[in-house]
Amino acid sequence: VDLEVNYVLDKLKEKEIDMWISYDWENWKLFKDCNMNFNDLNKMAKKFMDKLQEKGYSVMNYSSKYYLENIWTLDTYDTWLAQYNDEATYEKKFNLWQISDQGKVSGINNLVDVDILIKD
């Protein structure tokens, strides 16, 4: 985890940012190859986010509704929900909602994610 935190900090070079730094575990197919269990994964994510918070950054956990409900135990952190529906059905609080990965932006050749910032 220290390697990942240092990588992020090096890329930021102490810049101020307005949004969160997100923890995002994407490769579930490799999960078993890493010889980890879900408890290990949650501890790793917590350590990553805690270390960045200590440096003054806001952090959040990013995941799909299924994984947020069944694997992650990080409810004390802000949440970025990925759920491609017309309406979010995740019942816990979330701060950012990724509604699609099929967005189009003029000047960008690839499809992009579409997110909604949830304000309290």
Side-chain angles (χ1 to χ4, degrees), residues 25-69:
W25 181 276
E26 285 282 339
N27 203 333
W28 292 99
K29 291 179 183 178
L30 283 178
F31 181 76
K32 287 183 181 179
D33 294 341
C34 294
N35 294 318
M36 294 181 359
N37 60 43
F38 294 146
N39 186 47
D40 295 332
L41 184 62
N42 277 278
K43 285 181 182 178
M44 189 171 66
K46 182 180 182 332
K47 184 175 179 182
F48 176 85
M49 291 188 285
D50 287 349
K51 285 182 170 280
L52 288 168
Q53 277 183 323
E54 289 170 9
K55 296 292 184 179
Y57 292 102
S58 297
V59 297
M60 69 175 8
N61 187 39
Y62 167 88
S63 198
S64 70
K65 178 185 180 224
Y66 175 84
Y67 290 110
L68 287 169
E69 291 175 340

Tab-separated table of all heavy atoms in Angstrom, residues 25-69:
chain	number	residue	atom	x	y	z
A	25	TRP	N	-10.676	-0.902	-6.758
A	25	TRP	CA	-10.168	-2.244	-7.070
A	25	TRP	C	-10.953	-2.743	-8.273
A	25	TRP	O	-12.136	-3.004	-8.181
A	25	TRP	CB	-10.351	-3.184	-5.877
A	25	TRP	CG	-9.831	-4.558	-6.152
A	25	TRP	CD1	-10.494	-5.565	-6.791
A	25	TRP	CD2	-8.548	-5.071	-5.837
A	25	TRP	NE1	-9.693	-6.683	-6.881
A	25	TRP	CE2	-8.491	-6.404	-6.297
A	25	TRP	CE3	-7.433	-4.542	-5.197
A	25	TRP	CZ2	-7.376	-7.208	-6.140
A	25	TRP	CZ3	-6.323	-5.345	-5.039
A	25	TRP	CH2	-6.291	-6.653	-5.505
A	26	GLU	N	-10.305	-2.860	-9.412
A	26	GLU	CA	-10.992	-3.211	-10.657
A	26	GLU	C	-10.848	-4.670	-11.064
A	26	GLU	O	-11.753	-5.237	-11.638
A	26	GLU	CB	-10.471	-2.352	-11.819
A	26	GLU	CG	-10.964	-0.934	-11.804
A	26	GLU	CD	-12.390	-0.773	-12.300
A	26	GLU	OE1	-12.893	-1.648	-13.026
A	26	GLU	OE2	-13.016	0.228	-11.945
A	27	ASN	N	-9.729	-5.281	-10.787
A	27	ASN	CA	-9.458	-6.584	-11.370
A	27	ASN	C	-9.833	-7.727	-10.427
A	27	ASN	O	-8.990	-8.344	-9.789
A	27	ASN	CB	-7.996	-6.692	-11.788
A	27	ASN	CG	-7.816	-7.743	-12.843
A	27	ASN	OD1	-8.578	-8.697	-12.937
A	27	ASN	ND2	-6.798	-7.578	-13.649
A	28	TRP	N	-11.128	-8.015	-10.367
A	28	TRP	CA	-11.609	-9.065	-9.477
A	28	TRP	C	-11.162	-10.442	-9.942
A	28	TRP	O	-11.091	-11.372	-9.142
A	28	TRP	CB	-13.126	-8.988	-9.354
A	28	TRP	CG	-13.530	-7.751	-8.620
A	28	TRP	CD1	-13.962	-6.576	-9.171
A	28	TRP	CD2	-13.467	-7.528	-7.215
A	28	TRP	NE1	-14.186	-5.649	-8.185
A	28	TRP	CE2	-13.897	-6.214	-6.973
A	28	TRP	CE3	-13.100	-8.324	-6.135
A	28	TRP	CZ2	-13.963	-5.675	-5.699
A	28	TRP	CZ3	-13.175	-7.785	-4.854
A	28	TRP	CH2	-13.602	-6.476	-4.654
A	29	LYS	N	-10.844	-10.593	-11.205
A	29	LYS	CA	-10.368	-11.886	-11.704
A	29	LYS	C	-9.023	-12.254	-11.090
A	29	LYS	O	-8.699	-13.421	-10.925
A	29	LYS	CB	-10.273	-11.870	-13.223
A	29	LYS	CG	-11.630	-11.813	-13.889
A	29	LYS	CD	-11.514	-11.769	-15.387
A	29	LYS	CE	-12.905	-11.641	-15.993
A	29	LYS	NZ	-12.873	-11.548	-17.426
A	30	LEU	N	-8.224	-11.261	-10.742
A	30	LEU	CA	-6.910	-11.511	-10.139
A	30	LEU	C	-6.958	-11.613	-8.618
A	30	LEU	O	-5.951	-11.892	-7.986
A	30	LEU	CB	-5.937	-10.397	-10.522
A	30	LEU	CG	-5.366	-10.446	-11.929
A	30	LEU	CD1	-4.462	-9.243	-12.182
A	30	LEU	CD2	-4.601	-11.726	-12.168
A	31	PHE	N	-8.119	-11.376	-8.044
A	31	PHE	CA	-8.235	-11.338	-6.590
A	31	PHE	C	-7.685	-12.606	-5.936
A	31	PHE	O	-6.872	-12.535	-5.017
A	31	PHE	CB	-9.702	-11.120	-6.192
A	31	PHE	CG	-9.914	-11.039	-4.718
A	31	PHE	CD1	-9.566	-9.893	-4.021
A	31	PHE	CD2	-10.454	-12.097	-4.023
A	31	PHE	CE1	-9.755	-9.807	-2.662
A	31	PHE	CE2	-10.656	-12.027	-2.653
A	31	PHE	CZ	-10.304	-10.870	-1.973
A	32	LYS	N	-8.082	-13.756	-6.415
A	32	LYS	CA	-7.609	-15.021	-5.825
A	32	LYS	C	-6.112	-15.200	-6.024
A	32	LYS	O	-5.426	-15.757	-5.172
A	32	LYS	CB	-8.368	-16.203	-6.424
A	32	LYS	CG	-9.781	-16.294	-5.943
A	32	LYS	CD	-10.468	-17.528	-6.498
A	32	LYS	CE	-11.898	-17.578	-6.027
A	32	LYS	NZ	-12.611	-18.746	-6.551
A	33	ASP	N	-5.575	-14.728	-7.151
A	33	ASP	CA	-4.139	-14.838	-7.414
A	33	ASP	C	-3.317	-14.044	-6.411
A	33	ASP	O	-2.139	-14.316	-6.215
A	33	ASP	CB	-3.812	-14.370	-8.829
A	33	ASP	CG	-4.413	-15.273	-9.893
A	33	ASP	OD1	-4.770	-16.432	-9.564
A	33	ASP	OD2	-4.530	-14.821	-11.041
A	34	CYS	N	-3.924	-13.039	-5.803
A	34	CYS	CA	-3.221	-12.194	-4.828
A	34	CYS	C	-3.198	-12.815	-3.435
A	34	CYS	O	-2.622	-12.251	-2.510
A	34	CYS	CB	-3.881	-10.818	-4.762
A	34	CYS	SG	-3.734	-9.864	-6.283
A	35	ASN	N	-3.833	-13.989	-3.283
A	35	ASN	CA	-3.886	-14.688	-1.992
A	35	ASN	C	-4.427	-13.797	-0.882
A	35	ASN	O	-3.867	-13.733	0.211
A	35	ASN	CB	-2.508	-15.244	-1.609
A	35	ASN	CG	-2.073	-16.329	-2.554
A	35	ASN	OD1	-2.877	-17.178	-2.930
A	35	ASN	ND2	-0.821	-16.297	-2.953
A	36	MET	N	-5.510	-13.091	-1.193
A	36	MET	CA	-6.148	-12.208	-0.215
A	36	MET	C	-7.575	-12.672	0.020
A	36	MET	O	-8.158	-13.368	-0.789
A	36	MET	CB	-6.178	-10.768	-0.747
A	36	MET	CG	-4.826	-10.149	-0.904
A	36	MET	SD	-4.793	-8.435	-1.498
A	36	MET	CE	-6.440	-7.957	-1.758
A	37	ASN	N	-8.124	-12.226	1.137
A	37	ASN	CA	-9.550	-12.407	1.386
A	37	ASN	C	-10.183	-11.018	1.442
A	37	ASN	O	-9.498	-10.007	1.341
A	37	ASN	CB	-9.799	-13.230	2.659
A	37	ASN	CG	-9.214	-12.569	3.889
A	37	ASN	OD1	-9.327	-11.361	4.095
A	37	ASN	ND2	-8.574	-13.372	4.730
A	38	PHE	N	-11.493	-10.962	1.596
A	38	PHE	CA	-12.177	-9.662	1.574
A	38	PHE	C	-11.768	-8.790	2.756
A	38	PHE	O	-11.707	-7.570	2.645
A	38	PHE	CB	-13.692	-9.843	1.536
A	38	PHE	CG	-14.179	-10.469	0.256
A	38	PHE	CD1	-15.263	-11.318	0.269
A	38	PHE	CD2	-13.557	-10.211	-0.957
A	38	PHE	CE1	-15.724	-11.904	-0.904
A	38	PHE	CE2	-14.008	-10.791	-2.131
A	38	PHE	CZ	-15.089	-11.635	-2.106
A	39	ASN	N	-11.477	-9.396	3.878
A	39	ASN	CA	-10.997	-8.637	5.033
A	39	ASN	C	-9.661	-7.963	4.704
A	39	ASN	O	-9.451	-6.794	5.026
A	39	ASN	CB	-10.882	-9.547	6.255
A	39	ASN	CG	-10.542	-8.793	7.511
A	39	ASN	OD1	-11.134	-7.768	7.813
A	39	ASN	ND2	-9.588	-9.318	8.250
A	40	ASP	N	-8.747	-8.704	4.060
A	40	ASP	CA	-7.458	-8.137	3.652
A	40	ASP	C	-7.662	-6.953	2.706
A	40	ASP	O	-6.996	-5.919	2.828
A	40	ASP	CB	-6.598	-9.178	2.931
A	40	ASP	CG	-6.180	-10.332	3.811
A	40	ASP	OD1	-6.067	-10.153	5.039
A	40	ASP	OD2	-5.953	-11.429	3.258
A	41	LEU	N	-8.564	-7.118	1.774
A	41	LEU	CA	-8.829	-6.070	0.795
A	41	LEU	C	-9.361	-4.810	1.469
A	41	LEU	O	-8.920	-3.693	1.162
A	41	LEU	CB	-9.819	-6.567	-0.260
A	41	LEU	CG	-10.129	-5.609	-1.396
A	41	LEU	CD1	-8.880	-5.281	-2.202
A	41	LEU	CD2	-11.200	-6.215	-2.290
A	42	ASN	N	-10.277	-4.965	2.389
A	42	ASN	CA	-10.807	-3.811	3.108
A	42	ASN	C	-9.733	-3.123	3.941
A	42	ASN	O	-9.680	-1.894	3.996
A	42	ASN	CB	-11.992	-4.229	3.990
A	42	ASN	CG	-13.279	-4.291	3.216
A	42	ASN	OD1	-13.919	-3.267	2.998
A	42	ASN	ND2	-13.659	-5.473	2.774
A	43	LYS	N	-8.863	-3.907	4.580
A	43	LYS	CA	-7.763	-3.328	5.352
A	43	LYS	C	-6.810	-2.553	4.451
A	43	LYS	O	-6.326	-1.470	4.809
A	43	LYS	CB	-6.989	-4.422	6.090
A	43	LYS	CG	-7.695	-4.968	7.291
A	43	LYS	CD	-6.839	-6.040	7.969
A	43	LYS	CE	-7.518	-6.644	9.143
A	43	LYS	NZ	-6.707	-7.711	9.755
A	44	MET	N	-6.533	-3.095	3.275
A	44	MET	CA	-5.638	-2.434	2.322
A	44	MET	C	-6.249	-1.109	1.849
A	44	MET	O	-5.566	-0.085	1.807
A	44	MET	CB	-5.374	-3.362	1.142
A	44	MET	CG	-4.305	-2.877	0.204
A	44	MET	SD	-3.840	-4.128	-1.019
A	44	MET	CE	-5.346	-4.270	-1.956
A	45	ALA	N	-7.522	-1.130	1.516
A	45	ALA	CA	-8.195	0.090	1.073
A	45	ALA	C	-8.215	1.137	2.184
A	45	ALA	O	-7.961	2.321	1.949
A	45	ALA	CB	-9.611	-0.231	0.621
A	46	LYS	N	-8.512	0.690	3.395
A	46	LYS	CA	-8.541	1.607	4.534
A	46	LYS	C	-7.176	2.241	4.753
A	46	LYS	O	-7.067	3.450	4.954
A	46	LYS	CB	-9.001	0.855	5.785
A	46	LYS	CG	-9.109	1.735	7.020
A	46	LYS	CD	-9.555	0.940	8.226
A	46	LYS	CE	-9.726	1.759	9.473
A	46	LYS	NZ	-8.950	2.939	9.650
A	47	LYS	N	-6.133	1.451	4.701
A	47	LYS	CA	-4.778	1.971	4.902
A	47	LYS	C	-4.434	2.989	3.817
A	47	LYS	O	-3.880	4.048	4.099
A	47	LYS	CB	-3.765	0.825	4.907
A	47	LYS	CG	-2.356	1.258	5.208
A	47	LYS	CD	-1.416	0.062	5.308
A	47	LYS	CE	-0.004	0.499	5.595
A	47	LYS	NZ	0.934	-0.620	5.650
A	48	PHE	N	-4.773	2.685	2.566
A	48	PHE	CA	-4.519	3.593	1.449
A	48	PHE	C	-5.219	4.940	1.688
A	48	PHE	O	-4.612	6.001	1.597
A	48	PHE	CB	-5.015	2.950	0.150
A	48	PHE	CG	-4.901	3.814	-1.067
A	48	PHE	CD1	-3.717	3.858	-1.790
A	48	PHE	CD2	-5.977	4.582	-1.498
A	48	PHE	CE1	-3.608	4.659	-2.928
A	48	PHE	CE2	-5.883	5.372	-2.627
A	48	PHE	CZ	-4.689	5.410	-3.340
A	49	MET	N	-6.499	4.866	2.018
A	49	MET	CA	-7.259	6.107	2.202
A	49	MET	C	-6.815	6.868	3.452
A	49	MET	O	-6.708	8.098	3.430
A	49	MET	CB	-8.753	5.800	2.220
A	49	MET	CG	-9.251	5.363	0.842
A	49	MET	SD	-11.036	5.208	0.696
A	49	MET	CE	-11.326	3.675	1.569
A	50	ASP	N	-6.528	6.160	4.520
A	50	ASP	CA	-6.072	6.829	5.748
A	50	ASP	C	-4.762	7.580	5.526
A	50	ASP	O	-4.595	8.713	5.991
A	50	ASP	CB	-5.901	5.826	6.879
A	50	ASP	CG	-7.222	5.327	7.442
A	50	ASP	OD1	-8.286	5.909	7.115
A	50	ASP	OD2	-7.184	4.341	8.212
A	51	LYS	N	-3.841	6.956	4.818
A	51	LYS	CA	-2.546	7.612	4.573
A	51	LYS	C	-2.712	8.873	3.727
A	51	LYS	O	-2.034	9.877	3.963
A	51	LYS	CB	-1.568	6.640	3.917
A	51	LYS	CG	-1.018	5.605	4.878
A	51	LYS	CD	-0.014	4.696	4.206
A	51	LYS	CE	0.682	3.840	5.229
A	51	LYS	NZ	1.749	4.527	5.935
A	52	LEU	N	-3.610	8.839	2.762
A	52	LEU	CA	-3.843	10.031	1.950
A	52	LEU	C	-4.585	11.106	2.735
A	52	LEU	O	-4.314	12.298	2.570
A	52	LEU	CB	-4.584	9.672	0.662
A	52	LEU	CG	-3.705	8.925	-0.340
A	52	LEU	CD1	-4.538	8.331	-1.460
A	52	LEU	CD2	-2.617	9.827	-0.899
A	53	GLN	N	-5.493	10.697	3.618
A	53	GLN	CA	-6.167	11.669	4.481
A	53	GLN	C	-5.160	12.356	5.396
A	53	GLN	O	-5.258	13.556	5.644
A	53	GLN	CB	-7.245	10.991	5.323
A	53	GLN	CG	-8.547	10.811	4.600
A	53	GLN	CD	-9.622	10.213	5.481
A	53	GLN	OE1	-9.357	9.340	6.321
A	53	GLN	NE2	-10.841	10.666	5.292
A	54	GLU	N	-4.192	11.597	5.895
A	54	GLU	CA	-3.146	12.175	6.746
A	54	GLU	C	-2.368	13.265	6.012
A	54	GLU	O	-1.848	14.189	6.634
A	54	GLU	CB	-2.183	11.087	7.223
A	54	GLU	CG	-2.771	10.139	8.237
A	54	GLU	CD	-1.877	8.937	8.509
A	54	GLU	OE1	-0.706	8.909	8.046
A	54	GLU	OE2	-2.352	7.992	9.169
A	55	LYS	N	-2.304	13.159	4.698
A	55	LYS	CA	-1.605	14.161	3.877
A	55	LYS	C	-2.536	15.315	3.485
A	55	LYS	O	-2.151	16.201	2.740
A	55	LYS	CB	-1.027	13.516	2.615
A	55	LYS	CG	0.032	12.479	2.895
A	55	LYS	CD	1.273	13.107	3.467
A	55	LYS	CE	2.371	12.074	3.646
A	55	LYS	NZ	3.584	12.660	4.184
A	56	GLY	N	-3.775	15.284	3.965
A	56	GLY	CA	-4.699	16.381	3.742
A	56	GLY	C	-5.637	16.229	2.561
A	56	GLY	O	-6.361	17.166	2.215
A	57	TYR	N	-5.662	15.056	1.942
A	57	TYR	CA	-6.532	14.834	0.786
A	57	TYR	C	-7.854	14.205	1.211
A	57	TYR	O	-7.901	13.424	2.154
A	57	TYR	CB	-5.847	13.933	-0.239
A	57	TYR	CG	-4.668	14.591	-0.901
A	57	TYR	CD1	-3.369	14.289	-0.514
A	57	TYR	CD2	-4.858	15.534	-1.906
A	57	TYR	CE1	-2.288	14.910	-1.123
A	57	TYR	CE2	-3.776	16.155	-2.510
A	57	TYR	CZ	-2.497	15.840	-2.116
A	57	TYR	OH	-1.431	16.454	-2.710
A	58	SER	N	-8.911	14.550	0.489
A	58	SER	CA	-10.192	13.882	0.665
A	58	SER	C	-10.143	12.577	-0.122
A	58	SER	O	-9.577	12.527	-1.212
A	58	SER	CB	-11.325	14.755	0.129
A	58	SER	OG	-11.411	15.948	0.858
A	59	VAL	N	-10.748	11.535	0.431
A	59	VAL	CA	-10.696	10.218	-0.202
A	59	VAL	C	-12.096	9.622	-0.289
A	59	VAL	O	-13.012	10.045	0.418
A	59	VAL	CB	-9.768	9.258	0.572
A	59	VAL	CG1	-8.339	9.761	0.573
A	59	VAL	CG2	-10.265	9.046	1.999
A	60	MET	N	-12.240	8.636	-1.168
A	60	MET	CA	-13.498	7.906	-1.272
A	60	MET	C	-13.242	6.537	-1.850
A	60	MET	O	-12.221	6.290	-2.487
A	60	MET	CB	-14.522	8.670	-2.112
A	60	MET	CG	-14.223	8.762	-3.570
A	60	MET	SD	-15.503	9.548	-4.614
A	60	MET	CE	-16.701	10.208	-3.533
A	61	ASN	N	-14.199	5.654	-1.609
A	61	ASN	CA	-14.155	4.317	-2.172
A	61	ASN	C	-15.061	4.276	-3.395
A	61	ASN	O	-16.195	4.740	-3.347
A	61	ASN	CB	-14.629	3.291	-1.133
A	61	ASN	CG	-14.440	1.876	-1.597
A	61	ASN	OD1	-13.447	1.550	-2.230
A	61	ASN	ND2	-15.380	1.018	-1.275
A	62	TYR	N	-14.549	3.731	-4.492
A	62	TYR	CA	-15.315	3.605	-5.738
A	62	TYR	C	-15.643	2.135	-5.966
A	62	TYR	O	-14.767	1.280	-5.888
A	62	TYR	CB	-14.490	4.121	-6.912
A	62	TYR	CG	-15.069	3.757	-8.261
A	62	TYR	CD1	-16.008	4.568	-8.868
A	62	TYR	CD2	-14.690	2.587	-8.913
A	62	TYR	CE1	-16.556	4.228	-10.104
A	62	TYR	CE2	-15.221	2.239	-10.142
A	62	TYR	CZ	-16.157	3.062	-10.732
A	62	TYR	OH	-16.702	2.731	-11.944
A	63	SER	N	-16.914	1.857	-6.266
A	63	SER	CA	-17.270	0.483	-6.589
A	63	SER	C	-18.698	0.427	-7.116
A	63	SER	O	-19.462	1.380	-6.990
A	63	SER	CB	-17.152	-0.410	-5.352
A	63	SER	OG	-17.082	-1.769	-5.724
A	64	SER	N	-19.033	-0.730	-7.664
A	64	SER	CA	-20.403	-0.962	-8.111
A	64	SER	C	-21.289	-1.238	-6.898
A	64	SER	O	-20.810	-1.563	-5.807
A	64	SER	CB	-20.456	-2.149	-9.064
A	64	SER	OG	-20.212	-3.349	-8.352
A	65	LYS	N	-22.587	-1.136	-7.123
A	65	LYS	CA	-23.561	-1.379	-6.056
A	65	LYS	C	-23.361	-2.766	-5.452
A	65	LYS	O	-23.345	-2.922	-4.231
A	65	LYS	CB	-24.979	-1.233	-6.609
A	65	LYS	CG	-26.041	-1.519	-5.580
A	65	LYS	CD	-27.430	-1.494	-6.191
A	65	LYS	CE	-28.447	-1.799	-5.111
A	65	LYS	NZ	-29.465	-2.709	-5.482
A	66	TYR	N	-23.200	-3.772	-6.287
A	66	TYR	CA	-23.052	-5.137	-5.786
A	66	TYR	C	-21.873	-5.248	-4.812
A	66	TYR	O	-22.008	-5.800	-3.712
A	66	TYR	CB	-22.864	-6.128	-6.937
A	66	TYR	CG	-22.582	-7.523	-6.433
A	66	TYR	CD1	-23.635	-8.360	-6.064
A	66	TYR	CD2	-21.282	-7.986	-6.280
A	66	TYR	CE1	-23.387	-9.632	-5.561
A	66	TYR	CE2	-21.026	-9.255	-5.777
A	66	TYR	CZ	-22.082	-10.065	-5.422
A	66	TYR	OH	-21.832	-11.321	-4.901
A	67	TYR	N	-20.731	-4.740	-5.201
A	67	TYR	CA	-19.544	-4.867	-4.351
A	67	TYR	C	-19.657	-3.988	-3.109
A	67	TYR	O	-19.189	-4.366	-2.031
A	67	TYR	CB	-18.278	-4.557	-5.137
A	67	TYR	CG	-17.962	-5.629	-6.155
A	67	TYR	CD1	-18.082	-5.383	-7.513
A	67	TYR	CD2	-17.570	-6.890	-5.756
A	67	TYR	CE1	-17.806	-6.372	-8.448
A	67	TYR	CE2	-17.289	-7.892	-6.680
A	67	TYR	CZ	-17.422	-7.621	-8.027
A	67	TYR	OH	-17.150	-8.612	-8.935
A	68	LEU	N	-20.275	-2.815	-3.241
A	68	LEU	CA	-20.481	-1.968	-2.064
A	68	LEU	C	-21.361	-2.670	-1.038
A	68	LEU	O	-21.145	-2.550	0.162
A	68	LEU	CB	-21.103	-0.628	-2.465
A	68	LEU	CG	-20.171	0.337	-3.189
A	68	LEU	CD1	-20.961	1.500	-3.771
A	68	LEU	CD2	-19.071	0.838	-2.269
A	69	GLU	N	-22.346	-3.404	-1.510
A	69	GLU	CA	-23.271	-4.081	-0.602
A	69	GLU	C	-22.748	-5.412	-0.072
A	69	GLU	O	-23.153	-5.847	1.007
A	69	GLU	CB	-24.604	-4.331	-1.314
A	69	GLU	CG	-25.379	-3.062	-1.587
A	69	GLU	CD	-26.645	-3.274	-2.397
A	69	GLU	OE1	-26.772	-4.319	-3.084
A	69	GLU	OE2	-27.504	-2.392	-2.350
